[in-house]
Amino acid sequence: MHPDIICLGHKLRNNQITGTNARCFAILITLRKIIEEYRGSPETINKNISVLLDEVRAYLRTARKLGSGVESYLDNLKLSIFNSNRDIGLGLTKKLSDDIGDFIDQKIRKADDLIIKNGLELINDDDVILTFGRSYVVERLLRECKKKFHLIIVDNPPYYEGRQMALRLARQIPITYTCISGVAYFMRKVQKVFLGASSMLSNGALISRVGTAMISCIAHMYRKPVLVFCETYKFSEKTQLDSLSENELADPQALLEPGDKTTAINLRYDLTPRNYINMVITETGLIPPTSIPVMLRELTRIQGTN
């Protein structure tokens, strides 16, 4: 296995790279470098790189669940290799490198720029906005907003990702920081709830860090709008009805005190039903969660014509 992949796996396993976009970016940049360094036989390059992709994917899965967006893109990359002209030779490495670069640029960087542009229109002066944990696109949106508003950051153990957001934004924005146990008290003061996403499923349900479903449920109870910020590459054809069927387990010891003999289950994600979500903000605009299947069909059609 390439040493860069081993190093990346170590970072993923030890939570040195967190967040769906950050993990996707790191995986694709590393994969792009390995493909560009390929020096094998031009006659068998299609097969060799396809095998390489399978080996990289299998290894990284032992470190962390890759996420539906990365998995879907790697499937498309393999399909691109299969459909490539067998006589292309080493030109395939440049083709794949350019394809990965375009995906990063269009589906992550420019997509985030457009999401932030759409999101800035949703913030008014004197708003009280609640967010949960740390989402890169939500953090960047709040940092770039020039209006005066108050931010409530809700956090939960064991990773306390919201602390990082609070430290980054504290000099610019008035912030109230609380753990998830206090969310019901603060929810009555809120005008909007901003959430990040790991994935949006075809039934309109949201997969995000564990605790998101509770936040959304309480917001729904208080009739507060829940807005999810999500790039379309995270849209998935899959459907789930619960948080257990395809979840990811983190280290259970992270939840326990030293010497504690309790058996713990440390889930990374939970599922929020679509009826708790008011709007999904994407690079294509604002859509209700009920329109996710329509978006998936359109994205598949566009992909098929390219």
Side-chain angles (χ1 to χ4, degrees):
M1 187 61 65
H2 195 286
D4 285 355
I5 292 296
I6 295 173
C7 180
L8 176 60
H10 177 77
K11 290 179 178 179
L12 293 174
R13 189 176 292 109
N14 291 284
N15 295 308
Q16 291 176 261
I17 302 175
T18 58
T20 306
N21 278 353
R23 286 185 287 123
C24 178
F25 184 83
I27 290 168
L28 294 184
I29 287 291
T30 306
L31 188 60
R32 184 184 188 184
K33 179 183 176 183
I34 294 170
I35 290 173
E36 289 173 344
E37 292 176 354
Y38 177 82
R39 295 294 181 270
S41 169
E43 289 77 18
T44 58
I45 186 172
N46 295 58
K47 179 181 178 181
N48 292 346
I49 292 185
S50 183
V51 171
L52 173 66
L53 283 177
D54 289 337
E55 290 175 349
V56 168
R57 183 188 291 197
Y59 177 78
L60 292 179
R61 280 172 175 167
T62 65
R64 279 291 307 268
K65 187 176 180 180
L66 298 187
S68 60
V70 178
E71 293 279 15
S72 177
Y73 178 69
L74 293 179
D75 286 339
N76 291 332
L77 207 61
K78 283 198 66 177
L79 185 62
S80 177
I81 295 170
F82 179 79
N83 292 330
S84 295
N85 190 328
R86 300 293 170 180
D87 298 326
I88 194 172
L90 293 176
L92 180 63
T93 59
K94 184 179 186 309
K95 179 179 181 294
L96 296 178
S97 176
D98 291 344
D99 190 274
I100 293 172
D102 288 343
F103 181 87
I104 292 171
D105 187 53
Q106 298 293 328
K107 297 296 185 179
I108 300 179
R109 288 177 176 149
K110 289 184 179 178
D112 284 350
D113 290 342
L114 291 170
I115 288 172
I116 289 165
K117 181 181 178 181
N118 293 329
L120 288 172
E121 299 176 3
L122 302 173
I123 302 176
N124 302 313
D125 282 322
D126 301 320
D127 269 352
V128 179
I129 297 170
L130 184 144
T131 189
F132 177 55
R134 184 191 178 209
S135 162
Y136 167 78
V137 69
V138 172
E139 180 182 319
R140 190 179 149 201
L141 164 65
L142 298 173
R143 187 171 62 246
E144 293 185 13
C145 182
K146 304 302 181 184
K147 296 176 182 176
K148 295 181 179 180
F149 62 93
H150 187 88
L151 178 64
I152 298 173
I153 298 177
V154 181
D155 213 353
N156 69 335
Y159 303 113
Y160 294 104
E161 296 170 283
R163 286 179 183 172
Q164 301 175 44
M165 182 187 282
L167 291 171
R168 289 170 181 264
L169 299 178
R171 292 185 179 180
Q172 180 184 346
I173 303 168
I175 290 175
T176 300
Y177 176 87
T178 182
C179 281
I180 196 168
S181 55
V183 67
Y185 172 78
F186 288 101
M187 190 62 75
R188 67 192 71 184
K189 304 177 182 180
V190 168
Q191 272 81 51
K192 302 176 181 77
V193 177
F194 287 2
L195 299 174
S198 176
S199 178
M200 291 296 303
L201 305 182
S202 60
N203 61 351
L206 164 67
I207 301 293
S208 192
R209 60 180 49 79
V210 68
T212 301
M214 175 181 169
I215 302 288
S216 304
C217 178
I218 294 173
H220 181 76
M221 184 175 68
Y222 279 92
R223 301 182 184 276
K224 306 295 183 180
V226 174
L227 309 176
V228 176
F229 295 79
C230 181
E231 300 85 351
T232 54
Y233 87 88
K234 297 178 183 176
F235 286 10
S236 173
E237 296 279 0
K238 293 181 179 179
T239 297
Q240 283 180 230
L241 300 176
D242 60 73
S243 300
L244 299 177
S245 56
E246 288 194 31
N247 212 315
E248 180 182 356
L249 292 175
D251 181 10
Q253 296 303 315
L255 295 173
L256 305 176
E257 296 292 334
D260 194 336
K261 303 298 183 182
T262 306
T263 301
I265 298 177
N266 187 6
L267 297 176
R268 285 194 182 269
Y269 302 106
D270 64 19
L271 180 142
T272 302
R274 71 183 185 188
N275 56 306
Y276 290 165
I277 301 168
N278 295 84
M279 200 66 65
V280 182
I281 293 81
T282 74
E283 64 267 31
T284 61
L286 283 65
I287 61 172
T290 50
S291 294
I292 299 294
V294 179
M295 282 293 298
L296 281 167
R297 286 197 298 271
E298 184 65 16
L299 291 169
T300 302
R301 184 189 67 78
I302 293 172
Q303 192 176 61
T305 59
N306 292 336

